[in-house]
Amino acid sequence: MIMTRTNESCVRYFNVAVIAPVNKLLIYSYSDSCLCDIGSIVKVPLGSRQVLGLICEEVLDTGDTASDSRAVNIRNIVEVLPEEFRIPEVCMNFLKRVARYTMNPVNALAPLTMGIVQHYIKSGNMLSGAREEYLIAVRENLSHEDTQKLTAIQRKVIDILTHNDSERYSSETALARAATVSAGVVKKLIEHGVLVKVTAGGRVNTNLRCLSLLSHIQQDAYQQISDACLKQTYAAFLLFGVTGSGKTEVYLNVVAECLDRGEQVLVMLPEISLTDTFIQRVEQRLGVKAIKWHSSVSISQKLLMWQRIASGVPCVVVGARSALFLPFANLTLIIVDEEHDNSYKQEDKVAYSARDMAVLRSSMCDAVVVLCTATPSIETWLNACSGKYQRINLQSRYGSSVMPEVSLVNLRDLPLNKNSWIAPVVADEIRSVLEDGMQVMLFINRRGYAPLTLCRKCGYRFACPNCTSWLVEHRSLKYMMCHYCNYRCGIPDICTSCSDSENLVSCGPGVERLTEEASILFPEVDIITLSSDLVKKPGILKQGLHDIASRKKQLMIGTQVLSKGHHFPFLTLVVVIDADTGLYGCDFRASEKTWQLIRQVAGRAGREKYSGRVLIQTAFPDHPVMKMLVSGDDEGFLRFESNIRSRACAPPFGRYVAVMLSGKDETTVWNIARAYVKNGESMRGYGICILGPAPAPVTYIRRNMRVRILLKMKKDIALLDIVKRWLDSVNVPSSVLVSWDVDPYTFM
Ligand code: ADP
Ligand code: ZN
Ligand code: ZN
């Protein structure tokens, strides 16, 4: 008879990723073998505390003498959370792969998956106390006769809900108010089962659905993705279409089918600020309540959602990059909307690219991933060229609207007046558009009033005391601010250095200063200014966008906040004020980012029956990027840019890993950096090239000296294991912080 190990001794050993600043997995034991397994969330002792942890793998007892000594030192798992908190196997495997790819221990990533469970337990509120959100809908197979039996008053409620472009209602009172009946009427209808409450992941009510009828070209696109989903194997698509071509309509049709089959879908958006309007649209089209994974959702609500996701019920989850780490048990489709967007790249704590990890996630669970964009990243475009991704084009805008005409305003021939950033010819254009009753948008990628304040008498420049950066004047908020460390101080009236009070000048424009100029040029016009620090309070951005859409405001001036996702039918002129800022920098993605940003901004113009125009103010009209923006030759730009990258072996042709060392004591930081470079010599044998150490462009942040090392290598996951060993090879004192970023996006 063969005795299994578990029969010999009931103790099992597990490697646990504890949620604590520990940089490796820890071994714990557990003696009741049936209750816990890989993916279980457990409470374990750590020092004198108890922490949560995630069981990553079983450590098989080899039966040697080590086990005895080990048994003495190994502590016991205190508690195993119930089965419904177990992370599905595929998610565990995904966490491990991301950990390897980002060169982090699983602990560092585990909070992304189970953070909400931890928060919930910490906050100590009762699960049973949570009330789940829902939408009210008409029962799916309500017949004509059934409707006839209703009273006139009851029918008013049904009419409201079945009206073609009706709103969604999430409470009895709101619905009653809209139907001008008493809440009792609605309650009765629910009691009698005429109306039902649809919860997230609840039964999909196809009656509520309101999908668009697709055009021929959209139908083709839809069919390809839909077919791939049916096959239930991994496939990746680039859905490449100009803004307004109907990419969203196309994929929502596929999402609906997945839900009908009982599958789970994740739609990732780059920007949290976009989710509200987007979720409304999704719910309206699909007739379901979407799961919004968002910081504004309460902990208990999130925990309910989390459990539903882990239990595998059909649902559509809409969220930013972190939603990718939710414990989906039955994920079959991931949509990455605006795949080129830099906010998919997380840089603090664990550095990862949610777009790349979404592709990985799909490949690990036989799901389909669709990367949607009007301006693909070079990485994605090349993957589509090589056939790794299937490419689907939607070349023209839906319906009769056409792409705006783009032209350059050459600032060399038409110079700006002193302290002015709107060229006189541009001002004339703006005036005539406004006189026609249309709207104009001025785009500038700089927050605040002015990026630099200096004293003309002695040359003093106001800089952050803690960082290598100028203080940016935020006039409307009445302070100077450092954009790296958030240091703030009052707006000065005298020079810090020479005490002169007459000669302080603001240099360069920010969005607020542009507003000042515009209000002098167009005194009659209602102007709205939107930038991230002016719309921090919830609701302000929403109100602002509403005022624009309803034409209460004619001229909008904004930063990136305005560049994406929004749809303004009467906007016909877009002016890019400072197109050149991104063009010449130390960032190898500078051209790509400029191209994407300007194309994106330009896409805001003329989205309906009124055609749009875009004016780009530039001092470099001969720059290839500018020329291709005018011709609209997107393929040309992508080819041009990838040729440059290819010649330089820059990503995505090669891989970069950026390592940053920082600390208060400069000598220690430099010594550690040099030790790393010395140890790294041996990596050259693997073709890994080490550059540095060098002071970072922003040399100080919060008084920490920052030193960079850049590694260049071939794209090969095995090389990352070597780099990881190298990272562990230096004994780093706690006064120095070492962080690293595989495939970095910023180099400051
Ligand atoms: P994209 O995601 O490519 O920017 P959208 O899907 O948002 O494009 O479509 C742009 C606009 O055109 C939206 O208002 C959308 O409702 C409308 N639209 C696109 N396709 C259709 C369609 N087949 N039927 C009706 N409206 C459509
Ligand atoms: Zn001075
Ligand atoms: Zn600072």
Side-chain angles (χ1 to χ4, degrees), residues 118-144:
Q118 190 199 10
H119 283 310
Y120 174 75
I121 289 177
K122 253 199 206 154
S123 65
N125 48 22
M126 297 303 291
L127 180 59
S128 53
R131 195 179 65 91
E132 189 158 10
E133 291 172 4
Y134 55 85
L135 284 176
I136 301 175
V138 181
R139 195 184 76 214
E140 192 157 1
N141 39 25
L142 192 71
S143 68
H144 187 66

Side-chain angles (χ1 to χ4, degrees), residues 81-114:
L81 264 57
E83 188 66 10
E84 66 254 38
F85 292 100
R86 171 113 140 244
I87 312 285
E89 190 185 350
V90 59
C91 302
M92 289 305 298
N93 293 338
F94 176 59
L95 276 185
K96 291 174 195 168
R97 287 281 286 273
V98 177
R100 182 180 181 202
Y101 193 89
T102 61
M103 304 189 294
N104 282 288
V106 179
N107 322 34
L109 293 150
L112 288 167
T113 294
M114 52 173 281

Side-chain angles (χ1 to χ4, degrees), residues 272-346:
I272 290 296
S273 69
L274 299 179
T275 41
D276 278 351
T277 30
F278 184 81
I279 287 202
Q280 271 170 18
R281 182 164 167 201
V282 171
E283 294 187 335
Q284 208 235 336
R285 291 286 189 276
L286 302 177
V288 299
K289 180 118 185 73
I291 292 182
K292 169 166 104 164
W293 197 256
H294 196 292
S295 54
S296 69
V297 179
S298 71
I299 293 181
S300 55
Q301 208 56 238
K302 270 190 167 168
L303 192 77
L304 279 171
M305 300 301 171
W306 190 94
Q307 284 178 295
R308 285 180 168 271
I309 293 167
S311 73
V313 294
C315 58
V316 50
V317 176
V318 179
R321 59 190 181 217
S322 63
L324 185 61
F325 290 89
L326 288 169
F328 293 98
N330 187 22
L331 184 61
T332 61
L333 175 64
I334 304 180
I335 309 287
V336 184
D337 208 349
E338 311 287 3
E339 68 83 25
H340 63 277
D341 200 290
N342 289 337
S343 47
Y344 281 122
K345 177 77 190 190
Q346 149 130 349

Side-chain angles (χ1 to χ4, degrees), residues 127-173:
L127 180 59
S128 53
R131 195 179 65 91
E132 189 158 10
E133 291 172 4
Y134 55 85
L135 284 176
I136 301 175
V138 181
R139 195 184 76 214
E140 192 157 1
N141 39 25
L142 192 71
S143 68
H144 187 66
E145 288 95 81
D146 293 337
T147 322
Q148 290 307 309
K149 284 189 209 137
L150 300 172
T151 66
I153 289 183
Q154 288 175 326
R155 243 177 278 148
K156 270 166 92 175
V157 179
I158 307 294
D159 285 348
I160 283 274
L161 284 174
T162 48
H163 190 259
N164 209 7
D165 43 41
S166 60
E167 291 238 2
R168 312 285 120 173
Y169 298 93
S170 53
S171 82
E172 284 97 328
T173 37

Side-chain angles (χ1 to χ4, degrees), residues 394 436 487 621 748:
L394 290 176
D436 286 344
Y487 169 87
M748 300 311 278

Side-chain angles (χ1 to χ4, degrees), residues 212-214 218 242-249 281 285 398:
S212 297
L213 205 62
L214 300 178
Q218 290 173 340
V242 295
T243 33
S245 56
K247 298 184 290 297
T248 313
E249 301 295 335
R281 182 164 167 201
R285 291 286 189 276
Y398 175 75

Side-chain angles (χ1 to χ4, degrees), residues 17 71 151 209 250 274 322 362 402 420 449 469 523 529 554 595 655 683 687 695 736:
T151 66
R209 234 177 230 170
V250 166
L274 299 179
S322 63
S362 313
V402 290
S420 160
Y449 183 82
S469 91
T529 309
Q554 290 90 52
W595 172 72
R655 166 162 293 145
M683 294 197 297
V736 176

